[in-house]
Amino acid sequence: TALFNSHIPHGNASLLLRRVKVQDKGRYKCYTTLIQSVIVEITDEMVTCSSQNIYPIPQVAWATDPPSAQEALENSTTKTTDHKGLFTVESMLRILGNVSNYTYFCSVISADKTQIWTASRKNQEDITQEEGYALSIPCIAPHSLQNFSLTWTFDSSNDPIVILRYDHRTRHSFNLWEGEAELDQDLLLLGDGSLVLFKPQSEEHSGTYTCSFSGLQSRHIIQTRVNITVSRTDSHRCNGTDPVEAAHHKGLNTAASCIIRHDGADRNREPAQSDAQFELLRSVPNVDEDSSVTSLPDTKEEEDEEETPLDGSDGLQPSNLQRDGFENTKPVLSIP
């Protein structure tokens, strides 16, 4: 009868034979289960490192870049076994300060110390940029890697897609966003896998970008949230409600007119001109070639000053202020 205890500490997997018989004579081999992978994840307050299906019991070690004092790396580690006697380890470390300040490294070490599997994770600061301008999303390996592969994924609705993949050994690459994004091949050889977006657009390119370096017994992940904003020169908000297209006209306040998109219909909204704007408009002569401003008798001008302008016109003819929903770029004074 043989007794095997998977809970023997320090990697001691001794096999105890009871009532040894002649037929039990022979060679016995002890097998270990190698570390297959290590996963590091970051939540709001904790960094979690896990690995499974390992035998004997492995050790877990933490580190950061920039380096942190050992007492700051105190962690809580649990080790459980399944019905086969294989171990799963999970270690949790509290985030130090701002989550984007550090890269977190977790190493799972085999009992005989012949295998060390290291994974790292860094959540970078969010990037916000106006659409239409080239953008570089940083992704630099924490140390020199040999024969690595690099994968970029993009997630805008909890459904990540692989947009780019590169194999350092074969130099082969796959680019789903050909013509929209690329890697610098020369920088890749130096461990810089930053992704360049040529002309990112608000709807198509806003989301979470994740780059992953995979090498021999190592994996390093860098995640960045990118927000591409609508160009200020093309669009802004009117009264803080719906997005609108600005009507830019020479000599007039750009906020004086806007087109509000609502249920597929365009509606004009014209804020009232200020007194200063009204006086400015009255001082501008008509620039049409076939018309001119005619001087009137003083008595007539006095009568004009006593007349009350129509509501919304401010003394100007509405037909000259509105043209297809925009303010007229050549305002004409109303002359009786």
Side-chain angles (χ1 to χ4, degrees):
T1 302
L3 176 64
F4 173 73
N5 188 351
S6 63
H7 296 277
I8 299 176
H10 307 301
N12 186 355
S14 301
L15 183 69
L16 175 64
L17 297 178
R18 297 177 177 176
R19 300 178 183 179
V20 180
K21 299 179 181 180
V22 176
Q23 57 268 32
D24 294 330
K25 182 179 180 181
R27 295 182 178 179
Y28 294 84
K29 295 182 178 180
C30 176
Y31 294 92
T32 60
T33 304
L34 298 178
I35 303 169
Q36 302 298 317
S37 65
V38 175
I39 299 174
V40 176
E41 298 177 325
I42 295 181
T43 59
D44 292 338
E45 299 181 354
M46 305 295 294
V47 186
T48 303
C49 172
S50 61
S51 187
Q52 57 185 4
N53 298 330
I54 307 170
Y55 188 87
I57 302 176
Q59 299 177 10
V60 178
W62 285 94
T64 63
D65 182 26
S68 301
Q70 197 60 38
E71 54 267 22
L73 300 178
E74 292 184 3
N75 57 86
S76 173
T77 302
T78 58
K79 303 171 184 179
T80 58
T81 57
D82 60 13
H83 66 284
K84 296 180 181 179
L86 300 179
F87 287 92
T88 293
V89 295
E90 183 177 78
S91 184
M92 301 181 70
L93 177 70
R94 187 171 295 277
I95 289 176
L96 308 177
N98 194 317
V99 66
S100 62
N101 290 346
Y102 293 89
T103 300
Y104 294 88
F105 296 85
C106 176
S107 296
V108 177
I109 308 166
S110 62
D112 59 4
K113 295 181 173 56
T114 59
Q115 187 186 18
I116 301 177
W117 225 105
T118 301
S120 73
R121 182 73 176 246
K122 179 177 177 61
N123 283 11
Q124 299 187 127
E125 290 185 354
D126 296 356
I127 296 177
T128 299
Q129 179 168 304
E130 193 173 291
E131 67 179 6
Y133 296 93
L135 170 65
S136 177
I137 306 174
C139 176
I140 301 176
H143 55 75
S144 178
L145 296 175
Q146 299 295 328
N147 297 327
F148 66 87
S149 63
L150 172 65
T151 302
W152 273 98
T153 62
F154 171 71
D155 184 4
S156 62
S157 58
N158 295 322
D159 186 20
I161 59 172
V162 176
I163 58 175
L164 195 146
R165 185 181 289 116
Y166 173 80
D167 189 298
H168 177 268
R169 183 177 58 85
T170 63
R171 301 293 195 275
H172 290 165
S173 62
F174 159 80
N175 189 349
L176 181 66
W177 286 1
E178 189 71 38
E180 299 179 29
E182 72 172 8
L183 303 174
D184 189 315
Q185 300 292 329
D186 295 331
L187 293 179
L188 266 174
L189 301 179
L190 302 176
D192 187 343
S194 300
L195 181 69
V196 178
L197 302 179
F198 298 135
K199 292 184 178 180
Q201 300 300 312
S202 175
E203 295 184 2
E204 292 85 352
H205 300 107
S206 291
T208 300
Y209 291 79
T210 303
C211 77
S212 174
F213 283 100
S214 297
L216 179 62
Q217 297 182 4
S218 66
R219 189 182 186 194
H220 306 283
I221 295 177
I222 301 173
Q223 190 171 86
T224 310
R225 292 181 180 177
V226 175
N227 179 32
I228 305 299
T229 61
V230 177
S231 175
R232 295 181 180 179
T233 58
D234 296 334
S235 175
H236 69 287
R237 289 187 174 272
C238 183
N239 291 346
T241 55
D242 299 331
V244 299
E245 296 180 4
H248 298 284
H249 298 288
K250 184 177 181 180
L252 298 179
N253 190 324
T254 57
S257 177
C258 58
I259 298 178
I260 301 178
R261 304 294 183 186
H262 181 69
D263 298 332
D266 294 346
R267 297 183 301 173
N268 296 335
R269 176 181 298 176
E270 296 186 10
Q273 297 281 349
S274 65
D275 294 338
Q277 291 173 325
F278 173 65
E279 293 299 330
L280 175 63
L281 292 177
R282 294 196 58 175
S283 64
V284 179
N286 184 9
V287 296
D288 291 343
E289 294 181 358
D290 297 333
S291 61
S292 60
V293 179
T294 304
S295 299
L296 299 178
D298 294 340
T299 56
K300 186 60 179 179
E301 291 180 357
E302 293 176 356
E303 293 175 3
D304 292 342
E305 292 176 356
E306 296 177 355
E307 292 179 1
T308 302
L310 296 177
D311 290 341
S313 67
D314 290 339
L316 302 180
Q317 294 182 2
S319 60
N320 289 331
L321 276 178
Q322 298 182 0
R323 181 175 297 171
D324 299 330
F326 293 95
E327 293 179 354
N328 187 358
T329 59
K330 301 177 181 179
V332 181
L333 297 179
S334 175
I335 303 175

